[in-house]
Amino acid sequence: MGSEGVILPRHLVLVPCPYQGHINPMLQLGTILHSRGFSISIIHTQFNAPCPRNHPDFNFIAVPDGLPDHLISSGNIPAILLAVNANCHTPLKDRVAQMMQSEKPNGKVSCIIYDEYMYRAESVAYSLRIPSIMLRTNTVSTFLARDFVLRLIDEGQIPLQETAGSIMEKPVPEHYPLRYKDLPTTIFKSLNNFVEVVKNIRLVGSSSAVVWNTLDCLENPLLGQVKQQCRVPIFTVGPMHKSAPQLSTSLLKEDYSCIPWLDKQAENSVIYVSLGSVACISEHELAEMAWGLAKCNLPFLWVVRPGLVRGTRNVRQSLLPNGFREGVGERGRIVEWAPQEEVLAHKAVAGFWSHCGWNSAVESIAEGVPLICRPNFADQKVTARYVTHVWRVGMQLEEELERDAVAAAVRRLMVEEEGLEMRERAVELKGRVEIGTRRGGSSFKDLDRLIDMIRSF
Ligand code: UDP
């Protein structure tokens, strides 16, 4: 209450992890909470800083992350995350401590909501006696698969590739439908870094709750399992992009010219292709993708983002093979970054070739668009298996990226009976997601419960 009996908005600090697939759900959560009367500060790194322009009501505060250029360009994500947590701890604590000294009526912080990968924010909250809540931006299946990987590491069985080649195709006991090769075992350059990050992100510590960007109807049996084991409430409020007003959260500028192009295409005719914000391919794979898309003879919208080709940072579409663009003409549209949610919701789009980052997968599911899964690393392989074997709304392209295989996979999804059945299931699943997010649905109710909890702090 303010001094004149007016109820003042409570002030929340949100701490996103500096990658696109993490920034999006955190800003969506901030947007939802703002629309429910909270005032929002985003404390973020200088590296991959979110753009304040689309969120004029939020207070954006950059803290020094101390990341050297060579570490950023190494792409060694576990090492970057360890450095971010170590380097941002003190500046984050100082900024929040300053806020707690504030004389302004709503200056003091009621709660810190942090991405699981920004785990040091929990100790900042604890030391300043502020309640905290963890946001998990991935699936429950990935969480459990990561736990299993930790167990294998403890037993000395990782890296699997080196210990037993043939085990990779075998199913993981009690983790249907995963095979050993689907486990999120990406170790990048150091197993120790990976283990340290994974051990940290599984700890809830002093946090009061876990918010998960997934939903009951997709992950129910597993969710029941983790809810039983977790000593704090778990709120599954996903997919949050469906509950938040559509505001851009992109680090790269979206190219909206693809929307009028989509408007000109026939209904359910276009395959959308994007490998997300981090996954990379070789120049040879880029060429095979290009010729495969040329060969499939269907309209396509392809995101070739800066840095998609391994080892290149700014060289972009110039890497496309000679003659490809002229060959496909107006049938193919290439952009550096797309307004993905709008693209997937467009009636012309009938399939999504995706790396299966969780945001991309759930955005596709929420629009009833079936997928060709081409996972690259980490959680993407787990999500791909769930898409293909549990929700059965996609197929995985596992063979080497080669133009004939690409063209055949696209046609299988887009025009063959098998693909049409996947689309039917995807549309049915979209309906269940809609039920979950609308009033009375599981995600809607969990969002209310979360808000009640924050108001009680
Ligand atoms: N995205 C986008 N435009 C693009 C490609 C991706 O807006 O051209 C967004 C997409 O909607 C998703 C996010 O970037 O929300 C990527 O997150 P995801 O978890 O799918 O993959 P990541 O980039 O983390 O590997």
Side-chain angles (χ1 to χ4, degrees), residues 20-22 24 250 254 272 274-279 303 336-341 355-361 363 380:
Q20 186 72 75
H22 293 258
N24 289 4
S250 277
E254 291 118 329
Y272 169 59
S274 165
L275 304 183
S277 62
V278 184
V303 178
E336 291 191 352
W337 196 249
Q340 182 163 301
E341 287 172 34
H355 69 307
C356 276
W358 176 235
N359 294 286
S360 293
E363 285 158 13
Q380 299 160 14

Side-chain angles (χ1 to χ4, degrees), residues 10-231:
R10 281 166 179 264
H11 181 195
L12 310 178
V13 164
L14 274 49
V15 185
C17 164
Y19 286 96
Q20 186 72 75
H22 293 258
I23 291 170
N24 289 4
M26 185 61 92
L27 292 187
Q28 286 154 5
L29 179 60
T31 306
I32 295 168
L33 294 172
H34 183 265
S35 73
R36 304 284 284 263
F38 293 93
S39 100
I40 306 290
S41 291
I42 308 284
I43 301 193
H44 60 86
T45 53
Q46 293 155 322
F47 164 59
N48 277 348
C51 171
R53 210 174 315 120
N54 295 312
H55 298 84
D57 297 324
F58 293 1
N59 179 25
F60 284 85
I61 302 158
V63 288
D65 52 44
L67 292 177
D69 284 349
H70 69 85
L71 182 55
I72 294 175
S73 55
S74 72
N76 186 343
I77 297 175
I80 292 174
L81 292 172
L82 289 173
V84 162
N85 275 283
N87 301 347
C88 292
H89 181 254
T90 305
L92 175 64
K93 188 172 172 187
D94 291 348
R95 290 312 302 251
V96 181
Q98 270 170 21
M99 290 172 173
M100 296 311 277
Q101 306 296 322
S102 170
E103 296 295 319
K104 285 196 206 146
N106 61 345
K108 292 197 174 49
V109 179
S110 300
C111 178
I112 297 181
I113 304 181
Y114 64 97
D115 188 293
E116 61 180 343
Y117 282 93
M118 298 299 285
Y119 47 85
R120 292 293 297 277
E122 177 269 330
S123 65
V124 167
Y126 181 72
S127 63
L128 296 172
R129 297 172 189 273
I130 303 169
S132 66
I133 290 178
M134 174 195 269
L135 170 65
R136 294 198 193 275
T137 62
N138 221 301
T139 58
V140 176
S141 41
T142 291
F143 173 81
L144 292 172
R146 271 194 318 231
D147 256 12
F148 183 72
V149 171
L150 279 186
R151 209 174 92 197
L152 291 177
I153 290 171
D154 282 345
E155 290 167 2
Q157 293 194 54
I158 296 277
L160 288 166
Q161 295 89 327
E162 284 163 29
T163 50
S166 61
I167 198 177
M168 301 307 276
E169 296 297 330
K170 296 213 172 103
V172 180
E174 295 166 38
H175 285 269
Y176 175 84
L178 303 186
R179 301 158 296 183
Y180 279 86
K181 69 178 185 183
D182 303 312
L183 289 171
T185 52
T186 321
I187 53 175
F188 296 92
K189 289 172 184 143
S190 150
L191 184 60
N192 290 343
N193 284 352
F194 173 80
V195 171
E196 197 179 336
V197 172
V198 173
K199 284 197 166 157
N200 275 308
I201 62 178
R202 58 192 298 282
L203 297 177
V204 174
S206 63
S207 293
S208 304
V210 175
V211 179
W212 223 311
N213 191 28
T214 184
L215 77 167
D216 275 21
C217 73
L218 294 180
E219 295 215 271
N220 205 341
L222 298 182
L223 204 43
Q225 196 180 319
V226 292
K227 276 184 178 170
Q228 258 183 4
Q229 288 161 4
C230 189
R231 52 175 188 76

